[in-house]
Amino acid sequence: MTDVPAGLSWTRAAPEDAQGPGPWIEIAFGAGDLVHLRETDAPDTVVTTTRTKWDAFTQGVRAGEFDHFAEEAP
């Protein structure tokens, strides 16, 4: 388990017009190539990955590789 450094600057992934506390995903870029993710309703549970893996994931999102997860059930 990676220790999460104090003083990270967390960015909330929420629509600009979003109301209420969420829950939302938050991301913080740490030292080196570490990327930290958490949910607003469980801020002590943090997933840490590398910048390389994060970049691969975001490229996949942009390419539509995960669209099937967002499709509504019939």
Side-chain angles (χ1 to χ4, degrees), residues 54-72:
W54 176 253
D55 289 345
F57 171 72
T58 58
Q59 287 175 7
V61 169
R62 289 181 180 142
E65 293 176 18
F66 304 101
D67 288 355
H68 62 284
F69 290 115
E71 294 175 1
E72 292 186 31

Side-chain angles (χ1 to χ4, degrees), residues 1-5 10 26-38 46-58:
M1 182 171 155
T2 304
D3 290 329
V4 180
W10 293 94
E26 294 180 314
I27 183 170
F29 295 95
D33 72 339
L34 296 181
V35 179
H36 308 282
L37 300 134
R38 68 182 184 185
V46 177
V47 174
T48 301
T49 190
T50 65
R51 183 63 188 245
T52 300
K53 290 177 182 177
W54 176 253
D55 289 345
F57 171 72
T58 58

